[in-house]
Amino acid sequence: MATTGTDMSRMREMNQLSIVGALRGNPPSTVTELAARAGLSRPAVDVLVRSLVADGWAEVEEPGASSVVGRPARRYRFRATAGHVLGIDIGVHKILVVLSDLEGHLVRTVRRPADPGAAPEARLAAVDRVIDEVLRGAGMAPADIWAVTVGVTGPVDGSGRTSLSSPLPGWSEADPAAHLAARFSCPVQVENDCKLAAVAERWNGVAQDADDIVYLLAGLRTGAGLILDGTLRRGHGGAAGEIGALKAVRWLSAPDHLQSCPGVPSTAAPGEAAAWVFQAARDGDRNARTAVRRYTRDLAVGVAALVLALDPQVVVYGGGFSRSADVVLGPLRRELTKHCLRLPELRASTLGDESVAVGAVRLALDEVDRRLLSDGLSAPTAPRR
């Protein structure tokens, strides 16, 4: 059967995508190295990579000083700045926006406090201001963004709404995806914050070696994100991992043990009170240690239920309280030993309260791969001068 021009064009696109895949995530490479990595002939790769350079998807790595006699082999690298994505964390007390290039390198990060009692319109307006600050600082416009992912508290349904529950006032009526779609022409997706944090820990955190993970977001609010067989689990309606909704689990009241600890300064805000208790526990204060023990006892009920149901390799202790993992993981481990048939590894997050935004960046990059690169390579925006 004769090969049509359409077939040849599609084959060329697929081969170009293979070269892009061979470039991304790797150091600058020669044509020979790219050919071996992509499984294509060297002459074909030589033509394809030159085309990718002309289209703005790749660039030549200029050779540095070398003792090698003669002309060094030309090396190519993926032009990560061909596009950018945004990861946004809309929290109760903060708004965090992260700008990343296509290799996942964080270009700019801006965090601003949020009013816990703000109405949806005011909160989304605050998000707009932080986005503007990020883009302005990077010298970019909304058209330079290729994908946006937003993390919010509460289970997220297929439409991007938190219709079941959320600690944000009036948020069940908010539509952050539609709000941001009015200013961005790229794909915009919304996901639960705990789920994004789990993605972040597997991508760039302490669980990169694990496929079965329970991520515990620990702070003034407690939640969980689940990764099983290497895949983020959302559940039928987006509520997978929301075990804290079961009052018998005691996650809703667990942080109260820290807030009500004797000795906490009366002027301390809720987050400051918890930090005070954790520090006092480090210093040996008996009341503080008792409060931490009671907190971890209640925390362990829900964690044990998830461990018994899912048998994860790793439980990651993350969120704002992860900065005090040194005084929490010991008591938590002892409590879990009482309930679990097999105790998984307990690891403290290294991403802290930035994990949600980092996970949002990862999902935005996945969206770029799925919806843009997989459909064929059109020339990206020209490099800024």
Side-chain angles (χ1 to χ4, degrees), residues 108 131 143 152 167 217 241 248 271 295 298 300 328:
R108 191 167 182 81
I131 291 173
V152 298
L217 189 147
Y295 164 70
D298 285 357
V328 172

Side-chain angles (χ1 to χ4, degrees), residues 92 114-120 122-123 167-169:
V92 177
D115 177 5
R123 195 175 299 274
L168 300 179

Side-chain angles (χ1 to χ4, degrees), residues 269-325:
E272 296 170 344
W276 186 95
V277 172
F278 289 134
Q279 184 57 52
R282 287 189 192 93
D283 296 338
D285 182 272
R286 180 178 299 179
N287 289 327
R289 289 190 170 185
T290 298
V292 171
R293 185 171 64 252
R294 290 172 176 170
Y295 164 70
T296 55
R297 182 187 60 201
D298 285 357
L299 200 65
V301 177
V303 178
L306 290 170
V307 168
L308 289 168
L310 304 174
D311 189 27
Q313 176 187 343
V314 175
V315 171
V316 178
Y317 183 75
F321 287 1
S322 64
R323 292 187 292 269
S324 299

Side-chain angles (χ1 to χ4, degrees), residues 171-193:
W171 198 249
S172 61
E173 303 301 319
D175 191 347
H179 177 83
L180 291 172
R183 62 180 306 188
F184 291 101
S185 59
C186 64
V188 177
Q189 57 183 330
V190 181
E191 186 54 271
N192 168 261
D193 54 0

Side-chain angles (χ1 to χ4, degrees), residues 80-210:
T81 56
H84 290 80
V85 302
L86 284 178
I88 303 172
D89 177 8
I90 304 178
V92 177
H93 299 277
K94 75 172 187 302
I95 296 169
L96 177 61
V97 177
V98 174
L99 175 71
S100 165
D101 67 18
L102 297 183
E103 286 279 36
H105 302 134
L106 304 188
V107 176
R108 191 167 182 81
T109 299
V110 174
R111 175 198 302 262
R112 294 291 177 258
D115 177 5
E121 297 80 7
R123 195 175 299 274
L124 288 172
V127 171
D128 287 337
R129 289 192 294 272
V130 181
I131 291 173
D132 289 341
E133 187 175 350
V134 168
L135 295 181
R136 186 169 55 249
M140 294 183 185
D144 297 313
I145 304 302
W146 287 16
V148 177
T149 299
V150 181
V152 298
T153 60
V156 177
D157 61 23
S159 69
R161 292 173 176 265
T162 53
S163 56
L164 296 179
S165 67
S166 173
L168 300 179
W171 198 249
S172 61
E173 303 301 319
D175 191 347
H179 177 83
L180 291 172
R183 62 180 306 188
F184 291 101
S185 59
C186 64
V188 177
Q189 57 183 330
V190 181
E191 186 54 271
N192 168 261
D193 54 0
C194 297
K195 293 177 175 61
L196 291 177
V199 169
E201 292 295 345
R202 188 169 187 266
W203 177 38
N204 270 343
V206 296
Q208 297 178 52
D209 61 335

